[in-house]
Amino acid sequence: MELIVFDLDGTLLDKSSQISAFTRDTLALLRERDVAYTVATGRTLHGARDLLEGHGFSLPQIFKNGVVIWNPDQQGYSHRFLLTQAEIQHVLEGFIREGVAPFLFTLEPGDRHAIYHPPTLNAAESRLARMLGRDGPLPLEHLSKLPATADITNVSAIGPEPAIRRVVDSIADEEGLVAYMGSAIEGSDLFWVDIHHRGGSKGDAVTTLKEELGLKRVICFGDSDNDLSMFQLADEAYAPDNAKTDVKSAATAVIGHHDADGIAHFLRERFNL
C-alpha cells in the first residue's frame, strides 16, 4: 500500500492558502479508493488544523518540518525533536544583535503551545505579531515570560536578507540545528527564516510514519528546500511548476502549478480517479 505525503503551502494549497474545490473533490476520490494520505508541513498543528478539517486527514500528521508528529486518534504527539532554551539562546542573541526580533514557538507541559517574542523592531515584524495574535489560537507572550520548563519547537524571524543570512551562517556548522529561509511576501528586501532541531526533518518523520503504518511505498509532493529530505527517501517525488529549481531537479517529475490544482490533476491521472 502507498502513502501520499503532501506539503501544504505552495503545493496542495492555492495562492489563497486554501484547499480548492477541485482539490477537495480529488481528496474525496482518493478516500473512495482507500489511498492513504497525510501532510508534512512547516506549519504548526494550530496553523493547519482548520485547513485540514473535513478533508479526510485521519492519519498521523507531520508539523514544523518534522519536529513533531500529531496523532489525531490519540490527540497527542507521538514523535518530537525539541530544543531547550540553553540550546537556542545563542541564536536568540544573534537575532537581537542583528536588530531582528525572533519568535519562539514552544511546547510546554500539558502540550500547551505558545509564542514568545521581544518587542518588534520594524513594520513587518509588527504585522507578523498582529497576525499571530489575531488569527492564531496560540497565546502570544513577551519573551520575558518564557517559562524555564518550556521546550522550543522552532524559532522564526523576518528581516533584511543580509541580517537573516548572517544568523543562518553562524549556525551552519552546528550539528543540532537546521535553518530554512527564503524571500518573504512582505517585501523583496525581506527574508523569512525558520530554525529547529536538525533531527526533526520531514524525511525522518515520513520514514517513521511509513514504518509505523506498515506501508510499502511513499509518494511525496513539495516545492521548497524543507521537502528535499522526504524527496530523497520517496519512491516517487513530484514538484509543482512553482517549486524551487533544486527541488525540481530532485523530483521524479515536475507537474502543474500549485495555483492551477496541479497536484490534484496529477493525482486524478496517476490513480485513474
Side-chain angles (χ1 to χ4, degrees):
M1 188 173 179
E2 296 170 317
L3 174 66
I4 298 175
V5 184
F6 300 113
D7 172 51
L8 287 179
D9 296 281
T11 304
L12 191 67
L13 304 183
D14 61 21
K15 66 180 179 181
S16 300
S17 297
Q18 299 294 319
I19 292 177
S20 72
F22 187 79
T23 296
R24 176 200 64 207
D25 293 344
T26 303
L27 294 175
L29 292 172
L30 287 175
R31 294 196 297 278
E32 290 178 7
R33 294 287 186 87
D34 291 324
V35 178
Y37 61 85
T38 189
V39 295
T41 176
R43 290 181 179 234
T44 64
L45 166 65
H46 299 80
R49 178 180 280 160
D50 289 346
L51 289 169
L52 302 181
E53 185 69 29
H55 296 296
F57 286 93
S58 58
L59 293 177
Q61 300 148 14
I62 299 166
F63 294 108
K64 295 315 303 179
N65 295 320
V67 169
V68 292
I69 296 177
W70 173 257
N71 191 315
D73 290 338
Q74 300 174 3
Q75 288 294 293
Y77 293 107
S78 60
H79 170 96
R80 58 182 77 191
F81 282 96
L82 305 175
L83 294 165
T84 66
Q85 294 179 47
E87 290 173 319
I88 208 72
Q89 183 61 36
H90 65 296
V91 178
L92 306 183
E93 293 171 354
F95 277 122
I96 292 171
R97 281 196 302 271
E98 293 291 344
V100 175
F103 288 76
L104 281 74
F105 291 72
T106 64
L107 182 57
E108 302 170 17
D111 280 349
R112 177 185 185 269
H113 291 262
I115 305 171
Y116 298 85
H117 70 95
T120 56
L121 301 171
N122 57 53
E125 291 175 353
S126 297
R127 286 195 299 272
L128 177 59
R130 287 196 299 271
M131 180 191 71
L132 293 171
R134 181 185 67 246
D135 299 331
L138 305 184
L140 191 63
E141 306 279 3
H142 191 277
L143 186 59
S144 62
K145 296 183 179 180
L146 180 67
T149 56
D151 288 314
I152 297 162
T153 60
N154 63 291
V155 179
S156 297
I158 185 171
E161 179 182 354
I164 296 297
R165 286 195 180 278
R166 282 192 291 270
V167 174
V168 171
D169 289 345
S170 73
I171 64 169
D173 296 329
E174 294 193 26
E175 294 184 359
L177 298 175
V178 64
Y180 298 107
M181 65 180 184
S183 299
I185 60 174
E186 288 80 1
S188 59
D189 60 333
L190 296 175
F191 260 48
W192 60 266
V193 64
D194 192 53
I195 299 171
H196 59 76
H197 195 297
R198 186 175 293 275
S201 71
K202 287 188 180 184
D204 175 80
V206 169
T207 298
T208 298
L209 285 190
K210 180 182 177 182
E211 294 172 352
E212 290 182 350
L213 298 173
L215 300 174
K216 300 298 184 182
R217 303 181 77 254
V218 173
I219 302 173
C220 292
F221 296 85
D223 72 308
S224 196
D225 296 344
N226 58 351
D227 298 309
L228 289 173
S229 62
M230 65 177 182
F231 272 35
Q232 291 169 358
L233 63 87
D235 297 282
E236 300 173 40
Y238 298 98
D241 190 51
N242 53 281
K244 289 186 174 181
T245 301
D246 55 344
V247 179
K248 290 180 179 179
S249 298
T252 305
V254 177
I255 58 178
H257 197 284
H258 81 108
D259 198 41
D261 292 313
I263 282 71
H265 282 290
F266 173 82
L267 289 170
R268 292 193 182 213
E269 181 177 348
R270 169 68 172 74
F271 289 94
N272 194 27
L273 300 176

